[in-house]
Amino acid sequence: MTTTQDAPVAAKEIGRDRRRKEDQRLITGRTKWTDNIQINGMLHLAMVRSPFAHAKITNIDVSEAKAARNVVDVLTGADLAETQGVLINAWPITPDQVTPTHLPVPADRVSFAGEVVAVVVARSAAEARDAAELVDVDYEELPAALDLKESAADTVLAHPDLGTNKSALWKFDSAEAGTGGDVEEAIRKARESGVVVEREFRQQRLIPAFMEPRSTVVDPTGEQLTMWSATQIPHILRFALAATTGMPESKIRVIAPDVGGGFGGKLQTTPEEWITVAVARRTGKPVKFTETRSESLMSAHHGRDQWQKLTLAAEKDGTVTGLKVELLADLGAYVSLVGGGVPVLGAFMFNAIYKFPAYHFACQTVLTNKTWTDAYRGAGRPEATFGIERIMDELALELGVDPLEVREKNWIKAEEFPFTTVAGLEYDSGNYEAATAKAKEMFGYDELRAEQKQRRESGDKVQLGIGVSTFTEMCGLAPSRVLGSLDYGAGGWEHASVRMLATGKVEIVTGASAHGQGHETAFSQIVADRLGVPFEDVEVLHGDTQVAPKGLDTYGSRSLVVGGEALVKAVDKVVEKAKPVAAHLLEANVEDIEFKAGSFGVRGTDAGISIQDVAGAVFVAHNLPDGMEPSLDSDATYDPINFNYPHGTHLCAMEVDTETGQVKMRKYVCVDDIGNIINPLIVEGQMHGGLVQGIAQALWEEAVYDESGTLVSASFVDYLVPTAADTINYDVGHNTTPSLTNTLGTKGVGEAGTIASTPAVVNSVLDAIRQFGVKDILMPCTPERVWKAIQEGTAGATTDTVGAAAAHFDPATDGEGQTQRHDGAGSEGAGQ
């Protein structure tokens, strides 16, 4: 026992730069990625994939492959029909959504280039790959649905048996929901006496391109089937396997070891996982599959891929009065785990930080013969932010005012929080004016505008453009009731456990599973502060459904704001359970016990005892209060009361060589409000990584298919992921308004940089060359596209500019018979 004066005061951890605990093993390679796992007698798989986007399978000859050295078996869809299970869609966005059956290995028809048609099982990975080349498949090629707008018109059917490519039409209307006025009336009035801006924008198809390719190992021996997978979602994966294969959930253990990045690309249940399970159960032996990089780019899910039509109504002074959004969203060949719902997430963010009195949103999801799409870093929110920030720039241009001026005129003011938006969400906190003022100062906004003017007047061949992007996002995917109102197939809660060990050390068990975010470090900092124990004495366990049996995993910037809050609640329970023991040992009343800096003290005295000593006393149980259970271990499950709303202002300066179309980033500044910061070092890393991915969409990345449906950007030679040499140093700042909906006051950060940066860069490029009559450029803004746009001198004159790039689409009429209207978050709405 110690006195309170003797008790060490732990250094404050929250807000401290801490190098990640994980880095030592990750950087030195002293860890176990899934592909490192070796089990005696393990077999290896190679996938035979269709070269056609759409074709009938008329015959598969496996005889030569079966005769190859060390080949154990070659299996087709027919062989696996009874055991392979099916891939699920967990978010049917309308009751009448058209959802094609997604078998891991189809037996009769392929629906995208890269779909698995046969599986080779061999004693080594190399022998499996060699034998896969010997499998002879006969196809009858079918017409493929490839162009998004043509597919929406059912010109060619991706799945002829379904009779349509239209999967679902999802609508929101503020007048019907009671959250705002009639948008058509707002547009009518603006045409008479105000301003109407109407634009189409293209969100190109992207590939998550995570560092570690997907890998799966399955061991069926013993009483449980154990799967190791490079996944973001071990708990959801376990549930989906049980639900679709008939295996009892209690007999499945899923482990996500260290995972080398995900970006949403590993938020998926994949054909390869199901195939590996089926082969392992069939052979009774451990089985491994690790994809090649080309397989990853071709058949791991893609992201984005939308046509957006926005109509903005405003008064002549720039006050916005209405926003109408119409989307076509390409699902690819199948409706993936949450793919249909990704654009629906964007529905609540097109209004962004602005006070729109009227709003209408309609999204038609469309099936094509391309790789299926799903979440990619930001999932719906980058698409929405791009659309609204592009059209706010167009409004400023129409009015002849500075882009920041029109934003400031319409954004929610600091004193107006909490603020219920026209989309039905309640933003709890924010200060857009403070973030913008700080960003302008850091950027040198006025000085750069002056330089821009000088370059234009002098006719400099290198013009300077300044791009603006202000944003907010809904993250921390929750609450469960709201998700239920949107027909989402899971909740939004998270679970945590805290174990006080006899030696005074602490074990944390969390349902959030890391893939590079620094969970082990940040969670250790929270617990060290909350319990008053050394940072080094906290161990974080995660990513194993047997060690952490409860959880909903990691995506949507939810780990800290949801998982962290569950952890806080579990820690607080430990303290409350320890108080009676401390009171007993200190011979005091529980009411007189107070806890501070890791020690329990008696109010008004200097007597005290550390929480580690209490843990030791509970372990030996020699002197506990009567009836006291000898355990301080505690669990908590937290279901949020609202989404989480980080925001920020991003400013970008781009130099454009008007003779070559070459673009070069001059300066990039962002000031983000992510609430209270746990670890500034981790936050800066998350921001830098997010910025690079968003900038990459603007300048470099695009998944390109040829006219037959073959992915021609199926390697890093053709799919341009930027390196450090392609980027600059970004100036990252923060303005803090703590969240009002969680104890820590935190907001999400993992996706912020990606969400805001794409429109900032595109707006900057366009700002540099608008004087040549350029109104828009399809992303990525390659030198060729920029040069062509300048040469043509008018928007829409080539297929590289958006204006007349394709036929008009109307989700309201093209999606007849598959419509569902939603009233935002419902009467139980987020935070209301």
Side-chain angles (χ1 to χ4, degrees), residues 233-247:
I233 52 168
H235 296 90
I236 293 172
L237 178 53
R238 180 193 189 207
F239 167 80
L241 280 169
T244 62
T245 64
M247 288 186 289

Side-chain angles (χ1 to χ4, degrees), residues 338-357:
V338 295
V342 166
V344 171
L345 286 175
F348 301 103
M349 287 287 102
F350 270 94
N351 53 282
I353 68 172
Y354 307 113
K355 294 180 287 189
F356 281 99

Side-chain angles (χ1 to χ4, degrees), residues 463-750:
Q463 289 293 308
L464 179 67
I466 297 170
V468 175
S469 174
T470 53
F471 86 103
T472 188
E473 60 158 321
M474 53 188 284
C475 60
L477 194 62
S480 295
R481 286 186 179 185
V482 174
L483 296 179
S485 75
L486 296 173
D487 301 315
Y488 182 72
W493 54 265
E494 193 48 80
H495 186 82
S497 301
V498 177
R499 302 170 183 165
M500 292 298 300
L501 305 181
T503 56
K505 311 296 184 184
V506 184
E507 281 184 343
I508 301 166
V509 180
T510 174
S513 177
H515 45 280
Q517 297 91 333
H519 287 40
E520 294 175 31
T521 304
F523 286 168
S524 294
Q525 289 178 271
I526 292 169
V527 172
D529 265 9
R530 204 85 180 177
L531 283 181
V533 299
F535 169 82
E536 294 77 13
D537 286 354
V538 183
E539 187 76 18
V540 181
L541 307 177
H542 60 90
D544 183 336
T545 62
Q546 190 153 293
V547 174
K550 296 180 182 179
L552 285 175
D553 306 318
T554 298
Y555 39 85
S557 299
R558 72 186 301 272
S559 294
L560 180 59
V561 297
V562 185
E565 190 67 9
L567 183 58
V568 166
K569 290 183 177 297
V571 169
D572 289 350
K573 286 183 179 181
V574 169
V575 173
E576 288 305 308
K577 289 175 77 171
K579 275 185 179 179
V581 183
H584 180 75
L585 296 174
L586 294 170
E587 298 180 346
N589 292 323
V590 173
E591 294 77 14
D592 293 329
I593 296 296
E594 54 187 7
F595 182 70
K596 184 178 181 181
S599 289
F600 295 94
V602 181
R603 194 174 288 108
T605 76
D606 61 0
I609 185 171
S610 72
I611 194 168
Q612 291 97 329
D613 287 342
V614 173
V618 170
F619 173 72
V620 298
H622 294 167
N623 184 19
L624 298 181
D626 291 343
M628 172 76 188
E629 180 185 38
S631 173
L632 298 181
D633 297 351
S634 297
D635 301 276
T637 301
Y638 173 64
D639 197 343
I641 61 173
N642 196 352
F643 292 92
N644 203 252
Y645 301 100
H647 72 83
T649 297
H650 290 225
L651 301 174
C652 176
M654 297 289 293
E655 294 181 331
V656 179
D657 188 322
T658 58
E659 294 180 353
T660 66
Q662 185 69 41
V663 297
K664 180 181 179 183
M665 186 169 290
R666 162 88 168 270
K667 190 169 188 178
Y668 196 103
V669 165
C670 62
V671 174
D672 287 87
D673 182 345
I674 57 169
N676 293 331
I677 295 174
I678 304 299
N679 186 319
L681 193 62
I682 289 177
V683 163
E684 187 165 356
Q686 287 285 306
M687 285 303 304
H688 278 249
L691 288 172
V692 170
Q693 284 188 281
I695 293 166
Q697 177 175 7
L699 298 181
W700 298 297
E701 294 188 30
E702 182 178 24
V704 180
Y705 286 84
D706 66 16
E707 65 280 356
S708 65
T710 300
L711 182 70
V712 296
S713 54
S715 77
F716 284 152
V717 173
D718 301 295
Y719 188 82
L720 302 182
V721 176
T723 68
D726 300 304
T727 62
I728 65 170
N729 289 324
Y730 310 114
D731 296 322
V732 176
H734 299 284
N735 184 71
T736 299
T737 59
S739 172
L740 305 180
T741 61
N742 64 74
T743 303
L744 295 168
T746 57
K747 303 176 184 180
V749 68

Side-chain angles (χ1 to χ4, degrees), residues 119-144:
V119 186
V120 176
V121 188
R123 301 198 185 281
S124 73
E127 288 166 328
R129 286 193 294 268
D130 287 345
E133 297 182 4
L134 303 176
V135 176
D136 188 9
V137 185
D138 293 331
Y139 299 93
E140 179 185 322
E141 191 172 2
L142 300 171

Side-chain angles (χ1 to χ4, degrees), residues 40-41 43 218-222 276-287:
N40 288 337
L43 302 175
V218 175
D219 185 356
T221 60
T276 308
V277 168
V279 174
R281 296 177 74 192
R282 183 184 181 100
T283 61
K285 293 185 176 182
V287 176

Side-chain angles (χ1 to χ4, degrees), residues 15-47:
R16 181 178 177 183
D17 280 337
R18 275 281 192 183
R19 290 187 179 273
R20 300 192 310 177
K21 287 184 173 183
E22 305 92 322
D23 284 349
Q24 181 62 28
R25 70 175 189 271
L26 295 174
I27 293 172
T28 62
R30 296 184 178 184
T31 187
K32 277 199 172 180
W33 312 108
T34 302
D35 191 46
N36 295 147
I37 293 168
Q38 301 295 330
I39 303 174
N40 288 337
M42 185 164 65
L43 302 175
H44 296 261
L45 303 183
M47 307 298 169

Side-chain angles (χ1 to χ4, degrees), residues 117-434:
V117 297
V119 186
V120 176
V121 188
R123 301 198 185 281
S124 73
E127 288 166 328
R129 286 193 294 268
D130 287 345
E133 297 182 4
L134 303 176
V135 176
D136 188 9
V137 185
D138 293 331
Y139 299 93
E140 179 185 322
E141 191 172 2
L142 300 171
L146 299 172
D147 180 85
L148 177 52
K149 291 189 177 183
E150 290 180 1
S151 297
D154 289 336
T155 306
V156 176
L157 295 180
H159 297 271
D161 55 310
L162 299 180
T164 182
N165 292 327
K166 303 180 192 70
S167 180
L169 176 61
W170 193 95
K171 288 187 176 184
F172 172 88
D173 188 273
S174 62
E176 295 180 7
T179 58
D182 185 334
V183 77
E184 296 296 343
E185 178 65 12
I187 294 170
R188 184 190 67 77
K189 288 182 177 178
R191 291 194 193 281
E192 292 177 354
S193 59
V195 178
V196 175
V197 182
E198 188 174 57
R199 297 288 187 272
E200 283 191 30
F201 303 123
R202 180 75 168 112
Q203 282 278 317
Q204 79 269 39
R205 179 174 282 245
L206 301 174
I207 303 176
F210 29 72
M211 185 180 295
E212 174 205 19
R214 297 173 303 163
S215 182
T216 303
V217 174
V218 175
D219 185 356
T221 60
E223 295 187 4
Q224 275 188 319
L225 179 142
T226 301
M227 169 187 279
W228 292 263
S229 182
T231 182
Q232 297 176 219
I233 52 168
H235 296 90
I236 293 172
L237 178 53
R238 180 193 189 207
F239 167 80
L241 280 169
T244 62
T245 64
M247 288 186 289
E249 190 173 356
S250 61
K251 297 297 183 182
I252 303 171
R253 178 184 184 184
V254 176
I255 301 170
D258 282 325
V259 175
F263 311 123
K266 292 174 182 171
L267 197 179
Q268 198 55 261
T269 54
T270 69
E272 293 84 357
E273 288 166 330
W274 262 241
I275 292 166
T276 308
V277 168
V279 174
R281 296 177 74 192
R282 183 184 181 100
T283 61
K285 293 185 176 182
V287 176
K288 178 192 287 188
F289 171 73
T290 301
E291 66 187 2
T292 65
R293 181 58 67 181
S294 290
E295 284 181 300
S296 178
L297 295 173
M298 179 169 57
S299 62
H301 81 243
H302 294 172
R304 311 285 195 262
D305 207 343
Q306 292 181 0
W307 272 104
Q308 307 174 328
K309 180 183 177 184
L310 275 68
T311 305
L312 186 149
E315 297 176 2
K316 286 185 177 178
D317 68 353
T319 301
V320 297
T321 58
L323 178 66
K324 183 178 180 181
V325 178
E326 300 166 276
L327 298 187
L328 286 181
D330 191 343
L331 299 179
Y334 297 104
V335 189
S336 58
L337 188 67
V338 295
V342 166
V344 171
L345 286 175
F348 301 103
M349 287 287 102
F350 270 94
N351 53 282
I353 68 172
Y354 307 113
K355 294 180 287 189
F356 281 99
Y359 175 53
H360 177 87
F361 173 93
C363 175
Q364 177 68 62
T365 57
V366 180
L367 296 163
T368 64
N369 293 118
K370 294 181 180 179
T371 302
W372 30 313
T373 60
D374 207 308
Y376 172 57
R377 198 169 189 170
R381 287 97 79 206
E383 297 92 312
T385 300
F386 182 85
I388 187 61
E389 289 303 288
R390 282 288 300 106
I391 204 163
M392 289 301 285
D393 255 36
E394 297 295 309
L395 176 61
L397 185 71
E398 192 83 15
L399 298 171
V401 300
D402 187 275
L404 279 174
E405 181 181 331
V406 79
R407 287 167 169 83
E408 182 176 3
K409 188 173 190 64
N410 291 287
W411 67 36
I412 304 158
K413 303 298 190 292
E415 64 270 15
E416 295 177 294
F417 287 95
F419 184 90
T420 301
T421 74
V422 72
L425 298 182
E426 184 179 272
Y427 296 174
D428 61 328
S429 68
N431 192 329
Y432 307 141
E433 45 266 65

